[in-house]
Each structure stands twice: as C-alpha cells, then as structure tokens.
Amino acid sequence: MSTTTAGTAPAAPGRRFFFGNVRPGAWLAGALVLGFLLLFLVLPVGRVFYTAFVDADGGLTFGHFGAFFDQGLMRESFFNSLFVATASALFAALIAVPLAYFTVRFQFRGAMLIQTLGVLPLIMPPFVGAAAMQLIFGRSGSLNLLLNEHFGVTLPIMEGLNGVIFVEAIHYFPFILMNLTVALRNIDGAMEEAALNLGCTGWRLFWRVIFPLAMPGFVAGASLVFVKVFDDLGTPLVLGQTNMLAPQAYLRITQVGLEDPLGYVISVIMIVFSITAMALSARMLAGKEYSTIQKGGASIAKRQLSPLGSFAAYGWIFLVLLVVLSPHLGVLLLSLAQVWSFSPLPDAYTLAHYETVFQDAGGMMKNTLLYCGLAAGLDVLLGVTIAYLMLRTTLPARKWLDWIATASLAVPGIVLAIGYLRLFKGVTVPGTDTLLTSTWIVIMLAYAVRRLPYALRSCVAALQQVHVSLEEAAESLGATKMRTIQRVVVPLMAGGILAGFVTSFITAAVELSATILLSSSESQAPMSYGIYLYMQSVAGRGPGAALGVLAIAVVALGTYLSHVVVERAGRQLTHRPVDEVLPALPLAATPATAPAVKN
C-alpha cells in the first residue's frame, strides 16, 4: 500500500518522461529566455555573418572580404583600428600600472581618494569629453596656447589618431587600474619577503616577482580596454576620424545602404577581433600558476616613502589626475562658456546653454529614462531567471543561457544595430503599419541585450549567497515554488538585483553605437544621441556639453546609489540581530537528561 504526503501528487508517467526531474515552469522559463536571446541576439548577429558570406544569388563566397582588402581606405581603417586599440591599451597601462602600484605598495595620505578619483573617467563616455579635450589639448587649445606664448612650442596631442588614442586611454585606463589594484592586494606578502631575502630589490623585484603575480588582473583590464577602443564609434566620429572600422561600418550602412556587403564584412571583423582579444588574454595565462598557498595571509607590505620619494610620487599622481580629470573640467567649462575660442579659458560665462537644453532636449531626457528604465528592468528579469535556472534547477544545457547572454559583451553596438536593421527589415508592429525598426522599441531592446551581462553577473552573485535551505524551509511550510521565489528568494537578492539594475541603467544611458543607427527621428532620440547631434556644430557644443553634464550627473548618481545599496545589503547580511538573542548551546548534555544511544 502506497501513500503520498499532503499537497504532493504523483507525477504522471508521460509527464515525468517528458520533463524528467525539472518542473514544467523551469522548462517554460528557459524556453522564453532562450527565445529572447535567439531573436534579439543570436539571429541578428547570425544575419550579419550570413550577409557577409553570401553573394547576390545566395551562394557562399569570400569575395566580399577580398573586395574589402582591395580598397585602400578599408585596409587603412583596419590597421588604424588595430593601432589605436593597441596604443590606447599601452598608454592606459602607463597611467594605471604606476598609479595602482603606488597606492597599494607605499604608505601615504589620500590613497583611497586617489583611487576613487582615478575611476571617475568611467562615469563619462569618451565622446562627451572629446570636444572639450580639443579645447584644452588641441592645436588652439588652452595648453598649446600657453606653451606657444611662453616657450614657442606646441604639442600635437589631439592631431589625427593621436587625439583618439589620448581620449580613449584617459577614459578606459580605470579598467586596468581596478583589476590590477585587486590583483596586487591579493599577492601573498611571503612571496615578496622570499624575494627580498634572496637579494631581489627595487625594479627587479617589481618586474620579476610583483608584476608577474598580478598579471591576471593586468591582462583582464588591458584586454577589456583593447576591445572597448576597437569597437568605439562615438569618439572617432566626434573627432572627425572616419578612417577606422567602426565609423566606416556606420558610414557604409547610412550612406550606401543596408544592401552594401562591406558594412557586414566590417561587422564580422570587429566581432572576430573582439573574441580573439578575449581568447588571447586567456591563452596568455593558460598553463601558468598565479595562486598562493597562504590565501588568508598578509598582502605585500606597505613601505614608507622618503621625503624626496613622497614629493615625486605626489607630483606625478597630481599630474596624472589633472590630465585624466581634464575632460570633466572641460565639459563643465564648455557648458558654462559664452565664448571660448583661442583663449586658455572662456571669455564669458552663461547659463543659457542649460536653458536651451531644458527647452529643446526635455524629450530626450524623458526618452533616456524610459528606454534605460525598461531595458534595465528587462535585464534584471532575465538575469534573475537565468541565475535561478543555472543554480537551482537541473535544466539541460542551462549553462548555455549564461554563455549566450554573456556573449553579447563581444558584440559591438554598431554590429547589433546593423543586425536589427537587416533582420527586422519590413517587419511591422503587430496591429499597425508602423515598421518595427522605426520605433523606440528596438533602441530599448538593443540597450537590454548589450547590458544584460552586467545585470546577470550581479544576480548570479546575489543568488549564490542565498542558501537553498531557506527555500526548502518555505516549501516545507506549504509555499509553492513561485511563492517561494517571490517571497523568499527575490527579497534576499534585492541588493544584487538593484545593483544590476543601476549598472545596466547608467551604462545604457551613455550608449551611442547602437543608438546612432536605430534612432529614426529626434523625437525618439535619447540623451546620448542628442549630445552627438549638438556636437556636430560649433554653435551647438555649449548645449551639447550642458546635456553631457546632465548625463554625467545621472551616471554619477546611479553609481553612488548602487554602492549605497550594495553596502547596506552587505551590512544586513553581516549584522543579524536575531543571532544575538539566540540562547547559547549547551556544551554537553547532563547525565540525567542525556538520551540513551543504541548501537
């Protein structure tokens, strides 16, 4: 005689055969997530690859790639992109490596403030500060005007590709700084002491011991800088440098048309090089050991600088911070400048640019909040779903959802936008005659797909800190799986979910690569596209800078709120008042009450 517990029904044989040990709800959620990723990531990118490798008759061909390398402009753009990306990564390393080493290795006041200021460039997209950098470091900029007046020399900092390298390196070097700082702090101090005992000191100690042990952090940051610069569209366009791959892809699609195969060839090359850069970074670290035995041991010892060393370190750090924070200062001055031409500083100041922005660009601000809010909300929903399917179910091939979602990091925004325009060409919104590609929906979807990995990583990290026994306790009290997720899992993941939402929101707010192709009218344009439009004319640079200041304020506020949320969530997990009132457990049972144990 068989019995079943209350509330549990035996599964039908056919249903158990079809679903296995996985609940139908998990299958449905997995199918919906997979369908979204296929429709809005895999198929658009696949369509780009398909168009690049087929001829007019639908046959396989490599002729488009031959035509690409036969054109001098395309070859020049290809090598220029490689040169700019590599040089930007090297220049960013020259800024980040000493800054990270000084703040971790030596004792001096303001180390935390210096590291915080060093990360500030990330809150401003590079194309926003590019115009302001021209006014400071350009041929007729503040620096060259002063140098020419006092010394009779000028520096070609912003000339040609130099300007792109300079702007990109200053903006993206915090990726190396953050990763390298963490890696340096994780080095076991015993390794350094052993090297010192063997007579290894000074530069040899850094180059042969310290830096090799921190190589994983450096390679991770440098590869990310390379990929970001290689795929960037906004900065070359603002600086007028169109002889690079991303601007050429944009110009081929907008000027020649969607049927031009070279635009798709460029897109394929950009994706391949993004993936190759990530693969090579992993290959460089393969087969080498960077871990230490004493994981809980002390990190490398901080040493006291001599007075002369302190003066030199502070002087160098001040110079570096002055340069890397100059875009922020330049944008602020430009937004307040009434006239700023052939002078070190503006001749007069005004608030008229902000008035113009609030009058003419109010719709762009609303569009930004709408698109980025919906995209971030969709990312959180997908992130929570994928994280739960990965960590709490036995759904077959569930890891593929994570891999596909994370693969969007290697897809440039311009490539995803081209894929949308090609895949959804002629598709109308259900029930209307409006083309899908002419609506703001595709902009929001592009934001969601591009920023999904950020929210996904936050959600996975948050769910990994929630013990499965909490869910089992709720279900043992009669709660359904869905109610357990809503009332137990999601509240415990709230900190990570909100951090993922804010991260997706603030990074989407400054997205230009996909926006510039998908915005069909100014009424649908977000702030990033508005900044680009303003910056196209000299008269519009003031309002463009004012709109850029507002965008920076939005990103900075979002970054601050995300840190506050994560910190509060951490304190709630660390300090639990209920644990303090629990009675102490007895060390051993007394003989009178100890139960007998039967062998």
Side-chain angles (χ1 to χ4, degrees):
M1 180 177 180
S2 61
T3 59
T4 59
T5 58
T8 303
R15 178 176 172 181
R16 180 180 300 172
F17 174 79
F18 181 79
F19 292 108
N21 294 325
V22 183
R23 294 173 180 266
W27 282 100
L28 177 61
L32 292 175
V33 172
L34 181 61
F36 177 87
L37 294 176
L38 289 177
L39 185 59
F40 297 112
L41 176 59
V42 177
L43 290 180
V45 176
R47 185 65 177 178
V48 169
F49 272 80
Y50 174 80
T51 308
F53 285 98
V54 298
D55 55 22
D57 299 327
L60 178 65
T61 180
F62 293 94
H64 301 323
F65 288 86
F68 172 86
F69 287 104
D70 285 341
Q71 297 189 19
L73 176 60
M74 294 302 167
R75 291 197 304 270
E76 179 187 3
S77 300
F78 174 74
F79 289 111
N80 282 346
S81 293
L82 283 179
F83 170 71
V84 169
T86 303
S88 298
L90 291 176
F91 188 56
L94 292 178
I95 300 174
V97 173
L99 195 60
Y101 185 67
F102 283 164
T103 53
V104 174
R105 184 69 171 80
F106 299 105
Q107 291 181 351
F108 55 89
R109 294 181 179 179
M112 186 59 65
L113 176 62
I114 292 170
Q115 290 183 354
T116 302
L117 293 176
V119 179
L120 282 183
L122 285 180
I123 72 173
M124 182 178 68
F127 72 90
V128 174
M133 296 285 282
Q134 285 180 317
L135 294 174
I136 298 176
F137 299 101
R139 180 182 301 176
S140 301
S142 304
L143 177 64
N144 279 325
L145 287 176
L146 294 174
L147 289 176
N148 188 40
E149 180 181 354
H150 293 88
F151 304 101
V153 297
T154 58
L155 300 177
I157 298 176
M158 297 296 294
E159 298 295 326
L161 297 178
N162 292 343
V164 181
I165 295 171
F166 187 58
V167 173
E168 300 279 23
I170 285 178
H171 176 73
Y172 287 120
F173 87 91
F175 285 126
I176 301 179
L177 175 64
M178 292 186 296
N179 285 280
L180 187 59
T181 298
V182 174
L184 288 172
R185 287 175 175 169
N186 288 335
I187 295 177
D188 188 357
M191 308 292 288
E192 181 190 22
E193 295 297 333
L196 289 172
N197 292 335
L198 294 174
C200 186
T201 60
W203 171 254
R204 183 178 176 85
L205 173 65
F206 171 79
W207 189 249
R208 298 295 299 272
V209 179
I210 302 297
F211 188 69
L213 288 174
M215 187 62 71
F218 173 78
V219 171
S223 61
L224 192 56
V225 172
F226 180 92
V227 171
K228 289 288 186 180
V229 176
F230 193 81
D231 298 342
D232 189 28
L233 172 65
T235 302
L237 285 181
V238 171
L239 295 178
Q241 300 298 315
T242 58
N243 53 344
M244 297 176 64
L245 285 182
Q248 282 300 314
Y250 168 72
L251 294 175
R252 300 293 301 193
I253 296 299
T254 56
Q255 296 181 2
V256 181
L258 281 174
E259 303 303 323
D260 177 44
L262 290 186
Y264 300 93
V265 171
I266 297 173
S267 301
V268 170
I269 292 175
M270 293 173 67
I271 293 178
V272 169
F273 268 83
S274 297
I275 297 175
T276 302
M278 293 297 183
L280 287 178
S281 65
R283 180 68 177 173
M284 288 177 60
L285 304 177
K288 299 178 182 179
E289 184 64 46
Y290 298 93
S291 60
T292 56
I293 299 176
Q294 282 186 270
K295 184 60 180 175
S299 59
I300 57 176
K302 285 196 172 186
R303 303 186 183 276
Q304 192 72 32
L305 284 170
S306 64
L308 181 60
S310 297
F311 178 78
Y314 275 115
W316 184 87
I317 291 173
F318 175 78
L319 179 62
V320 168
L321 293 180
L322 184 63
V323 172
V324 301
L325 295 179
S326 59
H328 303 73
L329 178 62
V331 169
L332 180 61
L333 289 176
L334 183 58
S335 69
L336 297 172
Q338 185 174 357
V339 179
W340 191 2
S341 178
F342 295 98
S343 61
L345 292 174
D347 298 326
Y349 297 91
T350 180
L351 294 176
H353 300 319
Y354 287 92
E355 183 180 355
T356 300
V357 166
F358 283 110
Q359 288 179 352
D360 300 340
M364 295 181 179
M365 300 180 193
K366 295 178 182 178
N367 291 341
T368 300
L369 296 177
L370 175 64
Y371 304 164
C372 298
L374 291 176
L378 184 58
D379 284 341
V380 165
L381 179 62
L382 292 171
V384 171
T385 304
I386 295 174
Y388 195 87
L389 293 175
M390 285 175 51
L391 302 177
R392 293 293 192 269
T393 71
T394 57
L395 187 70
R398 58 192 179 278
K399 291 289 185 180
W400 279 92
L401 299 177
D402 181 31
W403 295 337
I404 296 174
T406 306
S408 62
L409 286 174
V411 180
I414 185 72
V415 175
L416 188 63
I418 293 173
Y420 281 2
L421 294 177
R422 183 74 180 186
L423 181 65
F424 300 116
K425 181 181 179 182
V427 178
T428 59
V429 178
T432 67
D433 295 330
T434 305
L435 291 175
L436 179 62
T437 53
S438 65
T439 65
W440 58 267
I441 298 176
V442 289
I443 302 176
M444 183 273 294
L445 291 173
Y447 288 174
V449 171
R450 291 265 292 157
R451 267 58 196 179
L452 177 57
Y454 304 139
L456 176 57
R457 297 274 69 82
S458 296
C459 293
V460 169
L463 185 57
Q464 286 174 334
Q465 294 179 324
V466 179
H467 200 278
V468 69
S469 62
L470 299 174
E471 301 174 52
E472 295 173 348
E475 292 181 16
S476 67
L477 295 175
T480 62
K481 177 61 70 174
M482 182 58 67
R483 187 171 179 82
T484 300
I485 295 174
Q486 293 175 348
R487 300 296 298 274
V488 178
V489 178
V490 171
L492 291 174
M493 294 175 60
I497 290 174
L498 190 52
F501 178 92
V502 174
T503 303
S504 297
F505 182 93
I506 62 179
T507 52
V510 293
E511 166 72 34
L512 179 65
S513 298
T515 306
I516 199 173
L517 267 183
L518 297 177
S519 295
S520 58
S521 64
E522 290 189 20
S523 61
Q524 297 178 353
M527 293 174 65
S528 58
Y529 188 62
I531 296 171
Y532 172 75
L533 292 179
Y534 277 125
M535 291 296 183
Q536 296 307 297
S537 64
V538 176
R541 289 190 171 183
L547 193 57
V549 170
L550 297 177
I552 294 171
V554 170
V555 174
L557 180 61
T559 304
Y560 172 75
L561 291 178
S562 65
H563 284 300
V564 170
V565 168
V566 172
E567 185 179 353
R568 289 182 178 178
R571 285 201 302 262
Q572 290 176 358
L573 290 175
T574 304
H575 304 289
R576 297 183 179 180
V578 68
D579 293 339
E580 299 175 1
V581 299
L582 289 175
L585 293 175
L587 296 178
T590 60
T593 59
V597 179
K598 296 181 179 180
N599 293 327

